[in-house]
Amino acid sequence: MPMNIAIDGPVGAGKSSIADQVAQRLHILHLDTGAMYRTVALYMLRNGIDPQDEQTVSAHCGEADVRVAYRDGAQRTMLGGEDVSDLIRTGEVSTAASAISKWPAVRRRMVAAQREIAATADMLIDGRDIGTRVLIDAPVKIFLTATPEERARRRYRQQIEKGDMTPYEQVLAELNARDAQDMNRETDPLRQAEDAGLVDSTNMTPEQVVDAIIAVVEDVYGKRA
Ligand code: DC
């Protein structure tokens, strides 16, 4: 059985960057499942399909050929052979990804694909439903969060560094809207699995968060880092 570490949490909890660092320390791969939903969303946007239209999204989601590849240990997310890893990071795709991920037909496909990938190698998998659906038997489950204000502050700072001047209030409002959509959908909403360890990073540095997660992993798997 490959080593599987599940990390779930809301928007801007730092899952992706923390997960990258933990995976590097453990010499395992990191599967960012949000990138897969984003790629389905990009497919819908490119084909003029409204992400809120359940019937049309469900009818066409099987056409989106979403695959994950690893280059120098880093995930590249592919749509029909095209590397879309950078194209899926826009605000428009974020909003569309949150919308299409409500639909059961999309989730069924993504969950099946993610289980297949997770079975192939030692992996840290991050998302919203990894501990509650994709890998319910994962030996290590972490729920990583922080207050909405702190998550919005982090996101705001990152965006400013990239030259995106969206005001803090708007960043916070968008984050709250995406949280609400992810937590209130009917199929596999974002929630902490009963057997997941809670890491509230509000007052922690990224290094402290990485160390806290590694400590949980070592409790279960022994010393690896
Ligand atoms: O992690 P992220 O922000 O890149 O994810 C984009 C959207 O995809 C997120 O708003 C909800 C959805 N998602 C999901 O429903 N289940 C997952 N396992 C991962 C992401």
Side-chain angles (χ1 to χ4, degrees), residues 7-12 15-16 32-38 41 88-89 93-102 107 110-111 114 125-130 134 155 178-179 181-182 185 187-190:
I7 302 191
D8 290 302
V11 181
K15 286 192 309 291
S16 279
D32 168 1
T33 61
M36 298 173 70
Y37 286 92
R38 286 170 180 271
I88 56 175
R89 296 292 155 195
V93 173
S94 302
T95 305
S98 182
I100 59 102
S101 66
K102 287 187 295 204
R107 301 207 70 80
M110 292 294 106
V111 169
Q114 289 157 15
I125 301 107
D126 93 70
R128 303 289 190 288
D129 62 340
I130 309 306
V134 179
R155 176 72 31 120
R178 203 135 75 85
D179 274 358
Q181 186 151 237
D182 295 345
R185 68 178 175 230
T187 312
D188 298 336
L190 169 66

Side-chain angles (χ1 to χ4, degrees), residues 76-208:
R76 306 304 300 179
T77 313
M78 320 292 293
L79 175 59
E82 176 190 356
D83 185 342
V84 295
S85 310
D86 300 323
L87 296 175
I88 56 175
R89 296 292 155 195
T90 64
E92 188 191 16
V93 173
S94 302
T95 305
S98 182
I100 59 102
S101 66
K102 287 187 295 204
W103 310 131
V106 173
R107 301 207 70 80
R108 262 197 307 277
R109 285 182 178 277
M110 292 294 106
V111 169
Q114 289 157 15
R115 284 182 179 152
E116 260 180 45
I117 298 169
T120 60
D122 288 347
M123 277 204 179
L124 184 156
I125 301 107
D126 93 70
R128 303 289 190 288
D129 62 340
I130 309 306
T132 54
R133 170 67 62 198
V134 179
L135 300 170
I136 38 175
D137 295 326
V140 177
K141 295 183 187 177
I142 306 282
F143 193 79
L144 179 60
T145 191
T147 61
E149 291 74 17
E150 176 58 22
R151 290 186 281 122
R153 254 192 304 278
R154 291 176 190 168
R155 176 72 31 120
Y156 171 72
R157 277 193 226 114
Q158 275 172 357
Q159 293 186 348
I160 293 280
E161 271 170 32
K162 287 194 219 147
D164 175 345
M165 308 310 266
T166 309
Y168 168 79
E169 287 69 27
Q170 190 180 331
V171 174
L172 178 62
E174 283 169 6
L175 181 138
N176 280 331
R178 203 135 75 85
D179 274 358
Q181 186 151 237
D182 295 345
M183 288 170 14
N184 296 320
R185 68 178 175 230
E186 271 172 42
T187 312
D188 298 336
L190 169 66
R191 63 180 175 81
Q192 183 180 345
E194 275 166 24
D195 52 350
L198 176 68
V199 177
D200 181 338
S201 71
T202 306
N203 295 307
M204 293 169 84
T205 64
E207 294 71 32
Q208 288 171 327

Side-chain angles (χ1 to χ4, degrees), residues 37-64 79 92 96-97 100 103 106 109:
Y37 286 92
R38 286 170 180 271
T39 303
V40 174
L42 179 68
Y43 177 85
M44 297 301 158
L45 292 172
R46 279 183 171 176
N47 287 282
I49 296 169
D50 175 3
Q52 299 287 358
D53 176 351
E54 175 175 8
Q55 266 203 335
T56 314
V57 169
S58 304
H60 291 272
C61 67
E63 296 162 7
L79 175 59
E92 188 191 16
I100 59 102
W103 310 131
V106 173
R109 285 182 178 277

